[in-house]
């Protein structure tokens, strides 16, 4: 159900950037499980280009039970750009959760103004998709912007229409920011970005709400590896 979103992302990336494929650790690129009634397939892709040091996306297909499309773009360390985060989930036809955000690395006013305020006009066009839901796993004030799309949806039609339109608009703005970004050159500036991106990985890995989902289909060992060796590879596993 999110295949058109993946196809669109892929087409955009190949059109706009000079991508090279990045290796995914053995066993993590694709996994199939027949444990449950419906076969579960999870597959991931990873690329890089001069502007984006890690582009990853994952599709999990458990037929009518669950569909997940998840992606993060990590800008190169010379850019203080937010990360682009996408998490689209469906459990059955009616329990649909979509989250899309420019995930800020810093929270000062100038940063908000530069990278977050431009999202506002888009967010305002999709009021129904900015539902101000409470977060249970994450802290909305850390690594999330105030103009994120965050919605619970009960209709597939809404996904195909509104969500897809919003998705295209946010992506277009993100590409524009990437294309306009000026590289930082001071080692201190770059170190600060390295640390912020690493902290993001640690924060995200430690709280990932998908751990249970991955464990249930592919086993806890695989889930742990997938989180710490691929999704958030700059994080250290908790003791
Ligand atoms: C929530 N994300 C979730 C949930 C799951 C995942 C299972 C809980 C859904 C529920 O409430 O039942 C799934 N997370 C995944 C998957 C991957 C993953 C499949 O990392 C990896 C393949 N999550 C992200 C990114 C964003 C994000 C990049 O990985 C940013 C847009 C957001 N996911 C996000 C938010 C919630 C969520 C905000 C709600 C969490 C909460 O309530 O605190």
């Amino acid at each position: 159900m999110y295949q058109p979103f993946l196809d669109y992302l892929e087409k955009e990336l190949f059109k706009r950037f000079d991508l090279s494929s990045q290796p995914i650790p053995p066993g993590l690129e694709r996994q199939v499980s027949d444990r449950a009634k419906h076969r579960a397939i999870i597959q991931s892709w990873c690329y890089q280009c001069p502007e984006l040091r890690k582009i990853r996306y994952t599709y999990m297909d458990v037929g009518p039970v669950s569909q997940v499309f998840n992606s993060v773009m990590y800008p190169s360390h010379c850019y203080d750009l937010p990360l682009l985060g996408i998490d689209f989930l469906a459990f059955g036809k009616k329990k649909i959760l979509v989250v899309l955000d420019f995930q800020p690395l810093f929270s000062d006013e100038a940063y908000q103004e530069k990278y977050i305020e431009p999202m506002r006009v888009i967010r305002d066009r999709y009021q129904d998709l900015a539902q101000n839901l409470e977060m249970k796993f994450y802290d909305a004030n850390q690594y999330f912007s105030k103009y994120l799309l965050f919605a619970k949806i009960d209709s597939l039609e809404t996904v195909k229409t509104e969500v897809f339109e919003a998705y295209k608009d946010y992506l277009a703005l993100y590409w524009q920011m990437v294309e306009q970004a000026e590289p930082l050159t001071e080692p201190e500036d770059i170190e600060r970005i390295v640390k912020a991106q690493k902290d993001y990985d640690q924060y995200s890995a430690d709280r990932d709400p998908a751990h249970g989902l991955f464990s249930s289909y592919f086993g806890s060992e695989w889930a742990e590896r997938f989180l710490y060796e691929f999704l958030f590879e700059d994080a250290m596993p908790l003791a």
Side-chain angles (χ1 to χ4, degrees):
M1 102 184 228
Y2 295 119
Q3 189 66 42
F5 292 79
L6 187 155
D7 293 343
Y8 181 80
L9 179 68
E10 206 157 66
K11 236 192 279 151
E12 284 284 297
L13 286 168
F14 276 91
K15 183 174 84 182
R16 291 171 186 273
F17 302 105
D18 184 18
L19 299 187
S20 53
S21 198
Q22 283 293 99
I24 296 175
L28 300 182
E29 185 168 352
R30 184 184 150 90
Q31 192 64 255
V32 180
S33 163
D34 285 308
R35 282 185 192 192
K37 182 165 146 229
H38 291 275
R39 164 171 293 197
I41 303 174
I42 189 165
Q43 190 163 355
S44 299
W45 294 263
C46 194
Y47 298 95
Q48 63 160 40
C49 62
E51 300 84 353
L52 300 163
R53 67 172 185 88
K54 181 179 179 185
I55 298 166
R56 64 156 172 87
Y57 46 94
T58 295
Y59 202 98
M60 190 170 99
D61 177 2
V62 197
V65 177
S66 168
Q67 300 274 317
V68 177
F69 174 52
N70 179 279
S71 175
V72 179
M73 317 265 149
Y74 294 79
S76 296
H77 286 138
C78 59
Y79 300 112
D80 65 356
L81 291 162
L83 313 189
L84 179 70
I86 300 167
D87 201 13
F88 291 175
L89 309 128
F91 302 97
K93 277 203 177 89
K94 300 230 146 176
K95 193 175 175 234
I96 299 169
L97 183 74
V98 298
V99 195
L100 188 158
D101 201 7
F102 292 8
Q103 302 195 261
L105 291 177
F106 306 107
S107 55
D108 54 277
E109 270 302 310
Y111 192 90
Q112 292 286 323
E113 197 54 43
K114 185 169 180 188
Y115 295 123
I116 307 304
E117 273 313 312
M119 300 167 72
R120 191 224 286 250
V121 289
I122 303 176
R123 197 280 314 256
D124 286 350
R125 286 204 286 273
Y126 302 98
Q127 305 265 5
D128 303 354
L129 302 179
Q131 293 177 354
N132 242 315
L133 303 169
E134 201 190 327
M135 290 192 190
K136 298 183 293 256
F137 297 90
Y138 303 105
D139 172 358
N141 297 310
Q142 235 187 326
Y143 307 116
F144 288 100
S145 81
K146 59 178 169 182
Y147 301 130
L148 84 165
L149 285 195
F150 186 15
K152 281 186 183 155
I153 297 169
D154 61 9
S155 124
L156 254 172
E157 200 47 39
T158 306
V159 174
K160 288 188 201 159
T161 55
E162 267 192 84
V163 177
F164 198 58
E165 287 308 308
Y167 177 72
K168 288 191 284 187
D169 288 353
Y170 274 97
L171 284 186
L173 177 62
Y174 193 73
W175 307 144
Q176 190 186 328
M177 282 186 186
V178 170
E179 280 153 16
Q180 290 171 357
E182 296 279 351
L184 295 163
T185 54
E186 294 296 329
E188 307 90 88
D189 290 333
I190 291 171
E191 265 320 300
R192 187 166 163 260
I193 296 165
V194 170
K195 177 162 192 310
Q197 288 195 5
K198 195 175 151 111
D199 290 349
Y200 169 88
D201 265 19
Q202 192 70 49
Y203 177 88
S204 304
D206 294 344
R207 284 166 189 75
D208 201 289
H211 191 274
L213 193 68
F214 296 148
S215 293
S216 70
Y217 289 112
F218 309 107
S220 58
E221 227 172 287
W222 189 90
E224 191 78 0
R225 281 195 65 213
F226 190 60
L227 277 177
Y228 289 96
E229 294 179 33
F230 176 62
L231 294 181
F232 307 109
E233 61 190 311
D234 294 328
M236 299 279 288
L238 294 171

